[in-house]
Amino acid sequence: MILPLDFILILFVFICAVAAITIKDLLSAVVILGAYSFLMCLLWTEMAAIDVAFTEASVSASIGTVLMIGCVAKTKRRSKD
Amino acid sequence: MIRDSQDVIVKTLSRLLVPFMVIYALYVIMHGHHSPGGGFQGGVILAAGFVLLVVSHGLEQTRKRLSEKAAGVLSSIGVFIYAGIGALCLILGGNYLDYGKLSKLLPVVPAEARSLGILGVEIGVALAVMAVMFTIFLVIFTVGEFPEDDRSEK
């Protein structure tokens, strides 16, 4: 466990999480959420939880992103609020 | 929304990539009981292969390989394998999912019967997860696309 790498990854995760809920374009929000999932996967790996990281990479970063892109395609692209 | 991609690069790349994804998923499933991975992750990777096939080769080509009805049957078979192995251990005189009792049926020692039992359960979980993930994907991506589809009327 490398402490500076941990802090850098947590910083990136924080930036991605805040950007995903503040951005107006829904498709961009989904893509940023995919990046968030991948960074969380890196963080799990760095904390030696390989099984959790594997699940995060396969479920959240691949299938979850695809399903959310499908949902965005059924709605309008930009959010109203 | 999903139509046949006309791009030769996308088609060729996905045709090359899908077998490797399936082999990797099978590796993850087969080594699930003594390394990271397992039935759930392997099933999701298998479903990702089908998703790539839908995106590159269109819905109709993929329906020929795995239709919605076949996906439903596969998910039921997966749950049946899981519950069946558990009930088989129950019939053979152990607890539910007590794989050591499988050594009465298989010509192996109880320790190896445990390994084979958990492998069978992983295969069942992988089948169910693959079929259900593919069904969710198809339902989300084709909702409202085919109003003349006879499944909804009858």
Side-chain angles (χ1 to χ4, degrees), chain B residues 86-147:
Chain B
L88 199 60
C89 302
L90 207 61
I91 290 170
L92 290 173
N95 290 319
Y96 190 71
L97 291 175
D98 186 4
Y99 311 115
K101 293 287 184 291
L102 286 175
S103 63
K104 291 177 183 171
L105 286 184
L106 306 168
V108 290
V109 294
E112 191 162 359
R114 284 184 195 280
S115 178
L116 289 175
I118 191 74
L119 180 62
V121 166
E122 300 270 17
I123 289 171
V125 170
L127 274 181
V129 168
M130 179 201 76
V132 170
M133 283 285 174
F134 186 64
T135 308
I136 292 173
F137 170 77
L138 278 187
V139 165
I140 284 184
F141 271 74
T142 62
V143 59
E145 292 258 317
F146 306 104

Side-chain angles (χ1 to χ4, degrees), chain A residues 51 54-55 58-59 66 70 73-74, chain B residues 1 24 37 40-41 44 141 143:
Chain A
D51 213 357
F54 203 164
T55 311
S58 60
V59 177
V66 169
K74 295 293 170 198
Chain B
M1 191 173 76
Y24 180 60
F40 188 72
Q41 289 96 327
V44 169
F141 271 74
V143 59

